[in-house]
Amino acid sequence: MSPEPEPASAPDPGSTESAPSATDSSAVPATQASVWAPPGRSGVAVAEARAEKAGPPVAGPMLPPRPSKWRGVACPPGVALAALVSGSAAAVLIHWDRPGIGWLLAAAVAATAVFLVDRNARRRAASTTSDDAVEATSGRPTARTGSPRFDAGRLWWATLTLALLAVGAVRAAGWLFALCVVAACVAGSLAVVARRSANGILYDACAVWLAAAAAVPWAYAGTARVRSGNALRARRLGLSAAVTVALLAVFVPLLGSADAMFAALLETVTPDVDMPSVTRWIALFAVAGLGTLGALFLLAGPPPPAAAAVAGRTLRRSEWALPVGALAVLFAAFVTTQFVVLFGGDDYVQETSGLTYAEYARTGFWQLSAVTVLTLAVLMVVLRWAAQDTAADRWWLRGLLVAVSVLALVIVASALGRMWTYQQAYGFTVLRLLVEVCELWLGLVYVLVSAAVLRLRRAWLPRAVVGTAMATLLALAVLDPERLIAEKNIDRWQRGKTLDTEYLVTLSPDILPATDRLPEPLRAQVRTGLRADLDGDVWQSWNLSRARAR
């Protein structure tokens, strides 16, 4: 009988000679198991060789440093070039002291650069095969996955961005275009984020600019391999660029002095080099370049999406129904008095309050505006925190919040009527028109809130509110607000009221068509004042309203 084979001796737990098996990856430290191995050598062997070279480990627990966020995002080719092109376009095309077509052209260049780099990166990611698995196990960042696809939301926000900046090519009012530029920055950020993120609407509206700081080292690290692999080519290109500059420095002055027409063309396209211009170029280049880097960084590594479920609804029906019901009763009483004032007219107001109707309207507008804003905040809090566990909870929530929203809409209408009456009596100004438009937008927000209450879904509401604000601003630009102000003030003058010509002169050339209704010499006086500060434009700052004024 053959002897039985001896069982394998179990390793002594206290012995230092026992070693883990080479095939047991769980026994290998995490810092060694993720080591990329060249063909023909295992990852464990490479890790052991590195450990022998590094020497004995340091005693005591050591935590690995937490990597920066940008290290986990793959940098696609063309990021640095896109930032360079966008920054250069902004420096050349934008004149920040006035509205002009250059803003739209610079934004179009930046949007095209971002779109091309992102599309090429997605196509490369979609065409990769098994190499992605090797990259994923090596501990290095992998390229994004997915293919280019149509995104209606992203297209909407991008179109709105360009439309807002296009206002600078049509309207000459500086305050209007300043609002459009701010709104365009927000719309551009929302176009990049596309979907709601877990960070909320405030982060989404500023995401591009918040990501710009991390995008700089991300882009620098992403181009490191290109710089090291093409050092000779880069030197040759640099030499070629230097030779090009030298040749132009010699031949351009010679040709300019040889022909007067060519010299005039050179003077048109050559910018004036002075310290303010250089400062403007540097600032615009930095802002546009950083914005492009931030957008590409967010496209390569999007923020986490918002959670679908909303937890933590802690307000029971007995806790929120009492204050909201009290508001509903209070608003109903106020609305009833508004109908009495509406049908009673000016005589009733004078008898009850001792004020004219215009004075009565003036005293109440700002208070009603504050009421509408505060009520909106109350509705949003209740919609967020009120419990919806039972059908009765949901019906009470719908009934009370919709009732308050409808009554608040009547208050909004009352505020709008008061401001319109006040302007008819005392004149139209930019500030008064702006607050009236804001109140009109608040009425639209109440309609959106009512729709969210009826559906008991508020996830779409923040972006809808921001989108309607931008659409309202764009509609105001189409309406030509300063021309409307001038026309309404001229209407008042024709009805026997005074005309503040000094205020009209402070407006932009947008109002010139409205001055055709003025008789001479009043028309010449207003037009002379408007054209006094009408400087010439270069092609980058061309504006339709100023061109017509000239």
Side-chain angles (χ1 to χ4, degrees):
M1 179 178 291
S2 60
E4 295 181 359
E6 295 182 2
S9 58
D12 185 3
S15 175
T16 58
E17 296 178 357
S18 61
S21 173
T23 60
D24 186 7
S25 60
S26 63
V28 182
T31 56
Q32 298 179 7
S34 61
V35 175
W36 176 80
R41 298 185 66 186
S42 67
V44 177
V46 174
E48 291 176 352
R50 291 184 179 178
E52 291 178 0
K53 184 176 181 181
V58 180
M62 293 186 62
L63 296 177
R66 186 177 181 180
S68 302
K69 178 183 176 181
W70 59 266
R71 297 184 184 276
V73 179
C75 184
V79 169
L81 180 60
L84 179 63
V85 170
S86 301
S88 301
V92 172
L93 297 174
I94 293 178
H95 283 231
W96 62 25
D97 57 339
R98 63 179 60 188
I101 196 174
W103 292 83
L104 175 62
L105 297 178
V109 170
T112 303
V114 171
F115 170 75
L116 292 177
V117 172
D118 181 63
R119 185 193 63 176
N120 293 336
R122 293 186 182 276
R123 286 181 175 177
R124 289 166 61 92
S127 63
T128 54
T129 54
S130 59
D131 292 340
D132 288 340
V134 176
E135 292 285 340
T137 57
S138 64
R140 292 176 292 175
T142 58
R144 77 191 80 190
T145 58
S147 58
R149 64 183 185 278
F150 176 76
D151 192 328
R154 180 166 286 166
L155 179 62
W156 154 256
W157 290 111
T159 304
L160 188 58
T161 302
L162 296 178
L164 289 167
L165 292 176
V167 173
V170 181
R171 302 288 179 240
W175 63 268
L176 176 63
F177 186 62
L179 294 176
C180 289
V181 170
V182 175
C185 292
V186 174
S189 183
L190 293 176
V192 171
V193 177
R195 297 289 189 268
R196 292 186 304 113
S197 74
N199 301 315
I201 186 62
L202 292 179
Y203 172 84
D204 294 350
C206 308
V208 168
W209 310 107
L210 294 176
V216 173
W218 171 72
Y220 182 83
T223 57
R225 291 189 299 271
V226 178
R227 294 195 309 271
S228 60
N230 298 327
L232 179 59
R233 182 182 178 184
R235 287 195 295 268
R236 295 174 67 92
L237 287 177
L239 180 61
S240 176
V243 172
T244 302
V245 171
L247 291 176
L248 292 177
V250 173
F251 284 97
V252 167
L254 291 176
L255 293 176
S257 61
D259 185 80
M261 294 294 295
F262 188 71
L265 177 62
L266 289 178
E267 185 178 356
T268 303
V269 299
T270 303
D272 296 330
V273 180
D274 51 16
M275 186 54 64
S277 298
V278 173
T279 304
R280 173 175 62 86
W281 295 339
I282 294 175
L284 290 172
F285 180 87
V287 171
L290 288 175
T292 302
L293 289 180
L296 290 172
F297 178 70
L298 287 175
L299 290 171
V310 177
R313 297 185 179 272
T314 57
L315 287 179
R316 292 179 294 181
R317 189 198 319 166
S318 59
E319 296 172 341
W320 65 263
L322 180 61
V324 174
L327 275 183
V329 173
L330 177 63
F331 288 177
F334 181 83
V335 168
T336 302
T337 62
Q338 296 306 294
F339 281 108
V340 173
V341 171
L342 178 64
F343 290 106
D346 188 62
D347 294 337
Y348 175 80
V349 173
Q350 287 184 347
E351 292 176 1
T352 55
S353 62
L355 302 174
T356 64
Y357 199 87
E359 293 172 342
Y360 174 78
R362 178 183 183 181
T363 57
F365 172 79
W366 296 108
Q367 293 89 331
L368 293 182
S369 299
V371 167
T372 55
V373 174
L374 294 175
T375 305
L376 186 62
V378 171
L379 293 179
M380 295 301 296
V381 169
V382 174
L383 183 60
R384 166 63 181 86
W385 295 103
Q388 303 176 14
D389 299 332
T390 64
D393 288 338
R394 294 188 287 271
W395 278 108
W396 273 92
L397 190 62
R398 289 189 178 101
L400 280 180
L401 293 191
V402 170
V404 172
S405 298
V406 172
L407 293 171
L409 277 174
V410 179
I411 295 177
V412 168
S414 176
L416 287 172
R418 287 169 183 252
M419 177 52 71
W420 187 259
T421 302
Y422 176 63
Q423 291 186 110
Q424 292 283 351
Y426 297 101
F428 289 75
T429 64
V430 170
L431 179 60
R432 295 166 186 171
L433 181 62
L434 271 181
V435 296
E436 194 169 22
V437 170
C438 289
E439 194 70 23
L440 187 63
W441 169 69
L442 284 175
L444 182 58
V445 171
Y446 272 104
V447 175
L448 296 176
V449 170
S450 300
V453 169
L454 290 174
R455 298 177 57 191
L456 293 181
R457 297 289 185 273
R458 65 175 187 88
W460 57 273
L461 188 58
R463 286 195 170 224
V465 169
V466 175
T468 54
M470 296 179 184
T472 303
L473 180 59
L474 193 59
L476 180 64
V478 173
L479 191 61
D480 199 351
E482 292 198 349
R483 179 176 176 177
L484 176 64
I485 290 170
E487 289 178 346
K488 293 301 179 182
N489 284 327
I490 293 174
D491 289 340
R492 292 180 62 257
W493 175 73
Q494 291 179 341
R495 293 195 300 266
K497 302 293 182 63
T498 59
L499 179 63
D500 190 355
T501 57
E502 294 182 359
Y503 178 74
L504 291 181
V505 171
T506 62
L507 300 178
S508 70
D510 292 341
I511 73 168
L512 277 176
T515 60
D516 293 338
R517 300 166 53 191
L518 294 175
E520 295 291 353
L522 187 59
R523 176 172 55 188
Q525 175 186 350
V526 173
R527 289 188 172 183
T528 301
L530 289 172
R531 289 171 175 158
D533 298 329
L534 199 60
D535 299 332
D537 284 326
V538 294
W539 68 271
Q540 299 98 321
S541 61
W542 180 86
N543 176 271
L544 178 62
S545 180
R546 292 195 299 269
R548 287 177 175 176
R550 296 188 186 96

